Amino acid sequence: MAAFALWVFVFFVKFVSGADWCYQSQIACNGTCTGPDTWVTVSRLCDGRAQSPVNIVTKRALPDQRLTPLTFIGYQRTFHSRLTNNGHGVQLDLPASNVIKGGHLDAPYKALQLHLHWGKDGGPGSEHTIDGEKFPMEMHIVHMKEEHISLSEALRDPTGVAVLGFFFQESMSANKKFDPIISALKNIKRPTNSTTLKGVYLDMFTLPQSDMLKYFRYDGSLTTPDCAEAVIWTVFEEAIPLSRKQLAAFSALQFSDGKPMVKTYRPVQPLNSRQVYYSSSHVAAISTVLLITSVLLSVQAGR
Ligand SMILES: *[C@@H]1O[C@H](CO)[C@@H](O)[C@H](O)[C@H]1NC(C)=O
Ligand SMILES: [Zn+2]
């Protein structure tokens, strides 16, 4: 009878509550949580054919001239917002006045939140990989199509969500622009602590415009349950620099069991029949410049 009651309890926690999904790094110390291999028990969508993240094989990425530079609207406007340890990571809520368009997106998309995935003490921690290489951290800026009024509505639209993915790389010097987030981490050690960030703007956390011309594009999913396949992914090739110390600061956060919040990433998923595209409008722009230059030079030479 006791065994049956336990079984009912485990069944309830695993299959009914659906709230106890966790990362692989948490399983060793917390045998009852549902790791990435069994997220399908939390949401059947996690077993789909178009899941994220993926490994991007650069030589198989198809250049696509339609992948023009994205336009960032409101990204220079300062805001005050909530930064939260949500038990799986750290999330910054974003004002919907931050909008992206262009870049072959079929509509403008408004910002919802940004969050990060990281490793242990600055070790490998990105979700997407490039030719098998894992970066120390990855930031996701989550947007939904402007017509939608809630994320749950957007997730029912196959192109309802657009996520910008940024890799980080270790640099010798600290990246001061990330100090507002990093210095706030000490105030949100435990789930569900939160704090207010003041006077920040999204351009602080992205790359210079000229470094955002090169990106990969593919159709995928949320990388956490419910894994909805509603995401147009844009993954930038250039990485954002952070010092080792800045990267390691994220490992001081804690999961709900008090263990260090580390290795907060889902393993890469099969690409299946999907194609990854690569922006090449900048390649066309450069060749146009070269062509004009060579024409001018030959005209000069001919004189
Ligand atoms: C953070 O969360 C912990 C655990 O829930 C709680 O005890 C603590 O008071 C919170 N700290 C702040 C600053 O809210
Ligand atoms: Zn994410």
Side-chain angles (χ1 to χ4, degrees):
M1 194 60 203
F4 179 73
L6 179 66
W7 182 85
V8 167
F9 175 74
V10 169
F11 181 87
F12 180 81
V13 168
K14 268 191 131 81
F15 300 101
V16 182
S17 83
D20 71 326
W21 66 268
C22 67
Y23 288 111
Q24 194 66 36
S25 61
Q26 295 173 263
I27 294 177
C29 16
N30 179 355
T32 62
C33 71
T34 306
D37 294 344
T38 49
W39 281 359
V40 65
T41 65
V42 178
S43 166
R44 62 179 174 80
L45 301 178
C46 299
D47 212 12
R49 299 274 301 164
Q51 290 289 292
S52 295
V54 296
N55 174 42
I56 295 168
V57 180
T58 53
K59 71 172 197 294
R60 298 220 187 102
L62 202 63
D64 187 340
Q65 303 256 358
R66 295 170 303 178
L67 299 180
T68 53
L70 286 158
T71 304
F72 300 86
I73 301 158
Y75 267 51
Q76 290 178 322
R77 202 173 310 143
T78 59
F79 57 87
H80 294 191
S81 187
R82 185 168 294 272
L83 185 76
T84 309
N85 176 338
N86 62 17
H88 302 293
V90 52
Q91 177 175 318
L92 179 65
D93 298 333
L94 299 175
S97 52
N98 289 284
V99 172
I100 53 168
K101 62 178 196 182
H104 197 45
L105 295 172
D106 58 5
Y109 287 71
K110 56 190 175 188
L112 286 168
Q113 45 102 339
L114 72 77
H115 62 267
L116 299 119
H117 302 268
W118 60 89
K120 180 174 187 285
D121 302 330
S126 66
E127 294 211 296
H128 289 90
T129 57
I130 300 284
D131 295 324
E133 185 192 352
K134 218 170 172 65
F135 295 80
M137 190 156 75
E138 183 173 334
M139 175 172 67
H140 292 156
I141 310 184
V142 181
H143 304 71
M144 68 177 176
K145 213 181 270 178
E146 264 192 334
E147 71 200 53
H148 295 305
I149 54 157
S150 68
L151 180 60
S152 56
E153 183 186 296
L155 290 174
R156 288 194 294 272
D157 169 357
T159 59
V161 175
V163 182
L164 305 182
F166 291 89
F167 294 121
F168 290 78
Q169 66 186 355
E170 188 181 326
S171 59
M172 292 304 287
S173 52
N175 179 346
K176 292 265 180 289
K177 289 188 165 169
F178 270 81
D179 279 346
I181 292 182
I182 291 165
S183 56
L185 296 177
K186 61 179 181 303
N187 303 322
I188 55 164
K189 263 188 118 155
R190 303 295 308 267
T192 53
N193 294 160
S194 69
T195 185
T196 303
L197 288 198
K198 296 201 170 125
V200 293
Y201 55 95
L202 272 182
D203 265 354
M204 291 173 76
F205 307 131
T206 63
L207 289 161
Q209 287 282 345
S210 59
D211 286 339
M212 291 193 287
L213 303 177
K214 295 194 244 174
Y215 59 86
F216 300 97
R217 167 67 55 78
Y218 78 100
D219 298 337
S221 74
L222 298 182
T223 67
T224 56
D226 70 354
C227 309
E229 292 179 348
V231 181
I232 308 298
W233 276 96
T234 301
V235 178
F236 294 97
E237 183 172 68
E238 197 67 37
I240 298 169
L242 281 193
S243 69
R244 181 88 184 182
K245 199 175 160 199
Q246 288 183 305
L247 290 165
F250 290 84
S251 298
L253 296 176
Q254 294 173 8
F255 288 125
S256 52
D257 61 5
K259 297 287 191 313
M261 185 176 269
V262 296
K263 301 189 179 176
T264 54
Y265 50 80
R266 185 189 196 187
V268 293
Q269 302 297 304
L271 194 58
N272 295 322
S273 58
R274 289 174 290 173
Q275 173 71 50
V276 176
Y277 298 91
Y278 181 60
S279 63
S280 61
S281 59
H282 60 282
V283 177
I286 290 166
S287 32
T288 306
V289 170
L290 288 178
L291 181 70
I292 291 169
T293 310
S294 64
V295 166
L296 288 177
L297 285 175
S298 59
V299 165
Q300 285 220 314
R303 273 210 302 229

